[in-house]
Amino acid sequence: MSTLKVNTIQDTSGANSSTPEQIQQGRAKVWCSYNGSTNSIRDSFSMSSVTDNGTGDFTFNYSVTVNNPCPLVMTITRSNQTVGSTPPGVRSGASHTDAASGIFTNGFRILHRPTSTAVDGNYYAIAVFGD
């Protein structure tokens, strides 16, 4: 196996460049597309499993360790519920996903409540950024 060591990476026009550190810090450390209705991972990178703790309550487990104890975790959720002309799962002014038990270096837990009641959403998009 060969190792390529460079200070800067550029596109073919030379107009856009990045350092290896920028690329490392800007990429998602973990990502996942998950179906909470069927409890199945559609596709993922560095996500080992998802634990179903009950209706709308999931623990996402990484297959890698995120060294930063407070990584940036982004979630997008959608359920099959519809309110008026609002797209499924979208609630104006409401939190789609609440942090239930915090974020850890090996995973995190969420509670999906598009209304006052927790539901199993059919689509979760997860991205974790950190060292």
Side-chain angles (χ1 to χ4, degrees):
M1 179 175 210
S2 298
T3 300
L4 179 62
K5 295 182 181 183
V6 298
N7 293 324
T8 304
I9 299 170
Q10 292 184 331
D11 64 12
T12 55
S13 71
N16 300 300
S17 62
S18 298
T19 66
E21 180 181 21
Q22 290 169 328
I23 293 170
Q24 172 63 27
Q25 295 301 316
R27 295 183 320 189
K29 183 90 170 193
V30 178
W31 61 262
C32 178
S33 173
Y34 176 72
N35 186 334
S37 297
T38 61
N39 193 28
S40 60
I41 295 175
R42 290 183 182 96
D43 198 5
S44 69
F45 176 73
S46 298
M47 183 72 67
S48 62
S49 65
V50 179
T51 305
D52 187 347
N53 303 306
T55 303
D57 185 358
F58 304 98
T59 301
F60 291 84
N61 305 295
Y62 315 150
S63 60
V64 297
T65 298
V66 177
N67 294 325
N68 183 341
C70 296
L72 171 64
V73 175
M74 299 173 66
T75 65
I76 298 171
T77 59
R78 184 181 75 194
S79 62
N80 289 324
Q81 298 178 352
T82 304
V83 175
S85 61
T86 307
V90 175
R91 303 290 184 266
S92 299
S95 174
H96 300 290
T97 306
D98 302 327
S101 295
I103 300 168
F104 307 100
T105 58
N106 60 348
F108 65 96
R109 186 172 176 178
I110 63 170
L111 178 60
H112 178 67
R113 290 188 311 205
T115 63
S116 60
T117 304
V119 298
D120 287 340
N122 63 338
Y123 182 79
Y124 295 81
I126 309 294
V128 180
F129 296 88
D131 294 338

